[in-house]
Amino acid sequence: MFETAEIGQKMAKEEYKQRVPELRTQLVQMQVRLRNFRFPVIVVVEGDDRPGVDGVINFLNSWLDPRFVHTHAFGDPSDEERERPRFWRYWQALAPRGQIGVYSSEWTTSLIVDLFFGRIGLHEAAERTEQIRRFEKALADDGAVIVKFWLHLRRGDLKKRLQKAAKRPEESWKIREVDELLCKHYRRVMGLAEEVLRKTNSKEGAWHLVESRCERYRDVVIAETLQQAVRERMEACQPAPQPKLAEAAELATPGTAEKVSILSTVDLSAKLDDVEYDKQILTEQGRLYKLAAKARRRGRAAVILFEGWDAAGKGGAIRRLAQSLNAQMYRIVPIAAPTEEERRYHYLWRFWRHIPRDGRFTIFDRTWYGRVLVERVEGFASEDEWRRGYDEIVDFEEQLINHGLAVLKFWLHIDRDEQMRRFKDREQTPFKQFKITGEDYHNREKWPSYEVAVNEMVAHTSTVKAPWHLIPSNDKKYARVQILRRMADGLATVL
């Protein structure tokens, strides 16, 4: 594999001087144009030539406008990062649409390093490889241009470069322990690198092998490859205006409300009288409090999701849940329409930001399921976008679970008559009037379309490890007790 980058490519100093001015101008012009397009550019710079990686990142930052380049060289994960799923820190570092992100020591290199030091076995390596492919595919499906470079040196050239730098005080500081280990164990490391690069090479994120012996040749090849990849994407699409969360045509959905069956299995007649409610709510809150305290001591985190019809009682259920927890260990995150900043990223970005540290809970009042519900029905997402959203969501939740988080998902279900009764009650109660808006009635008119979307959501995203709990909520008391009970049961299974 690496033979193609061991040919001995060179570029004369004069040729370099002739080509660089125009190439730099083209790169900057590309960067300016990029700001009018709704896709980010992800540039990965890795390789066995570690000093060369630093050199490439430095030249990219000097040639481009640094205000719109986000550079991230990842080291060992911090305590905060270790307490989240592995890809949490990469999601935090994503470049927004219209800008460029440059990454080194990232998801691929960390896999190679862990294999080299024997920190993981073949099974976990295969899982990590698949995670990388899914991560890059999710970004590419959302429009990102991913350009990955591997800078290669033959062992003899790498050894000479390190020896030369060691003799020069102004360069010796650049030599790190990892460079010396790489040179010493060159064949083994390159064998691991070749395997990982082959398995993470895809149409969404293809690797470009670059011979790194001649710095002038290396830099020109990288600049030209990057410019070409971005230019081709620009030519394939027109600058898109910011999406307006205003009127949108209703997206046609197959089937009718009469054909759906998952929600129809929910027994909406279930209820509790006041006496039984007072007894059971205290029991379940006490049980949950003890389990949550145990989870905190053991460093176990949880993500609790609430979805449901408008006026289904999510707010009241969340308040009763919060009463069962120590105030220091939970955070409630209400989700509304994405902000201007959030629309500049992949839709999952804003949710990755709120994943809790060990021993803490995050309670989401509406969630990433908006992609396959409101965005689907209201036409804010294309059919391709919401259909691939099912797999992206399952993968997202799987990463949380594999890291040790409990994921508990609640859909609060009511019928249309009960919803209308609650709408009227809100309108007539002064301290509840703020809860009712024209949007609530707008959504109600599309009840059949939402019902189809909810049923398909449950069918595609309810898994053994993260099942949907469909809660009958015509009676709020019954719903609140059921949520606390299932929350406690879910925590108990991971402790």
Side-chain angles (χ1 to χ4, degrees), residues 36 38 238-244:
N36 296 319
R38 288 191 51 75
Q238 294 297 320
Q242 291 288 333
K244 296 180 179 179

Side-chain angles (χ1 to χ4, degrees), residues 131-164:
Q131 281 184 348
I132 290 171
R133 292 178 66 91
R134 290 199 298 260
F135 173 60
E136 293 179 351
K137 186 177 187 304
L139 299 182
D141 285 345
D142 194 53
V145 173
I146 303 175
V147 191
K148 302 191 296 189
F149 299 103
W150 183 273
L151 312 186
H152 179 61
L153 280 177
R154 290 176 294 187
R155 185 178 184 277
D157 292 329
L158 176 61
K159 188 174 182 179
K160 289 178 183 178
R161 183 167 292 182
L162 295 179
Q163 289 174 341
K164 182 180 178 180

Side-chain angles (χ1 to χ4, degrees), residues 434-449:
F434 75 95
K435 293 184 177 182
I436 191 75
T437 67
E439 185 177 346
D440 295 318
Y441 283 101
H442 167 81
N443 293 341
R444 178 178 168 80
E445 292 175 0
K446 296 187 176 182
W447 184 288
S449 296

Side-chain angles (χ1 to χ4, degrees), residues 40-256:
V41 178
I42 309 297
V43 182
V44 173
V45 185
E46 297 295 359
D48 45 271
D49 179 13
R50 303 307 302 173
V53 169
D54 293 337
V56 167
I57 292 174
N58 288 336
F59 105 73
L60 286 174
N61 278 292
S62 64
W63 284 21
L64 295 165
D65 185 337
R67 294 176 299 170
F68 306 107
V69 178
H70 305 257
T71 302
H72 300 274
F74 298 96
D76 292 333
S78 65
D79 290 342
E80 182 182 17
E81 290 169 339
R82 288 191 185 95
E83 292 180 12
R84 264 88 172 208
R86 179 176 301 278
F87 277 73
W88 178 82
R89 63 174 178 166
Y90 304 132
W91 279 93
Q92 305 306 299
L94 287 183
R97 304 185 200 279
Q99 297 187 30
I100 298 173
V102 181
Y103 306 89
S104 71
S105 299
E106 39 60 77
W107 42 93
T108 308
T109 296
S110 68
L111 174 54
I112 297 172
V113 170
D114 286 347
L115 281 168
F116 173 76
F117 285 107
R119 297 170 184 161
I120 60 175
L122 294 178
H123 178 71
E124 186 175 349
E127 290 183 346
R128 290 264 294 275
T129 300
E130 185 58 29
Q131 281 184 348
I132 290 171
R133 292 178 66 91
R134 290 199 298 260
F135 173 60
E136 293 179 351
K137 186 177 187 304
L139 299 182
D141 285 345
D142 194 53
V145 173
I146 303 175
V147 191
K148 302 191 296 189
F149 299 103
W150 183 273
L151 312 186
H152 179 61
L153 280 177
R154 290 176 294 187
R155 185 178 184 277
D157 292 329
L158 176 61
K159 188 174 182 179
K160 289 178 183 178
R161 183 167 292 182
L162 295 179
Q163 289 174 341
K164 182 180 178 180
K167 295 176 181 178
R168 303 177 65 179
E170 68 273 19
E171 292 188 17
S172 60
W173 62 272
K174 297 180 180 179
I175 302 176
R176 293 162 292 187
E177 183 180 359
V178 67
D179 301 317
E180 295 173 343
L181 281 172
L182 172 58
C183 193
K184 182 179 180 180
H185 302 280
Y186 184 84
R187 291 193 63 179
R188 180 165 175 248
V189 173
M190 296 314 298
L192 293 172
E194 181 178 59
E195 182 178 1
V196 170
L197 263 61
R198 286 188 188 280
K199 291 181 178 179
T200 58
N201 188 60
S202 64
K203 65 178 182 179
E204 294 86 11
W207 282 103
H208 300 270
L209 294 181
V210 180
E211 188 169 1
S212 195
R213 186 177 186 185
C214 174
E215 295 179 15
R216 292 186 291 271
Y217 168 82
R218 176 197 70 198
D219 292 354
V220 167
V221 167
I222 287 175
E224 290 180 340
T225 304
L226 174 59
Q227 180 197 14
Q228 179 181 353
V230 178
R231 185 178 66 244
E232 288 177 354
R233 172 59 61 83
M234 288 179 174
E235 291 173 352
C237 63
Q238 294 297 320
Q242 291 288 333
K244 296 180 179 179
L245 299 183
E247 295 183 1
E250 181 174 352
L251 187 65
T253 51
T256 64

Side-chain angles (χ1 to χ4, degrees), residues 289-415:
Y289 183 88
K290 292 177 181 178
L291 286 168
K294 186 176 181 181
R296 186 175 187 182
R297 290 194 300 270
R298 295 188 176 183
R300 301 308 295 268
V303 171
I304 304 103
L305 291 63
F306 283 90
E307 292 282 0
W309 299 106
D310 293 328
K314 294 184 293 297
I318 290 172
R319 285 193 294 275
R320 272 66 181 185
L321 174 60
Q323 290 170 0
S324 311
L325 304 173
N326 185 310
Q328 295 178 334
M329 70 177 299
Y330 73 86
R331 181 182 175 207
I332 299 172
V333 180
I335 298 299
T339 64
E340 287 296 326
E341 179 191 18
E342 290 167 342
R343 284 200 287 270
R344 297 167 65 196
Y345 295 88
H346 188 284
Y347 74 96
L348 287 175
W349 174 82
R350 63 172 173 157
F351 302 107
W352 272 102
R353 299 169 73 190
H354 299 299
I355 299 306
R357 300 183 69 167
D358 290 348
R360 293 174 172 82
F361 295 179
T362 298
I363 303 169
F364 285 96
D365 185 352
R366 298 201 183 278
T367 68
W368 41 91
Y369 283 96
R371 171 55 54 113
V372 296
L373 293 176
V374 64
E375 292 183 38
R376 166 185 174 169
V377 175
E378 303 297 335
F380 299 149
S382 68
E383 183 171 353
D384 284 343
E385 287 174 329
W386 63 257
R387 283 196 181 280
R388 67 172 180 259
Y390 297 130
D391 288 337
E392 291 171 346
I393 288 169
V394 169
D395 177 57
F396 172 43
E397 294 174 356
E398 186 178 282
Q399 290 186 59
L400 304 184
I401 293 166
N402 290 343
H403 185 69
L405 282 84
V407 177
L408 295 131
K409 306 187 298 192
F410 298 101
W411 172 267
L412 276 60
H413 188 47
I414 58 177
D415 60 36

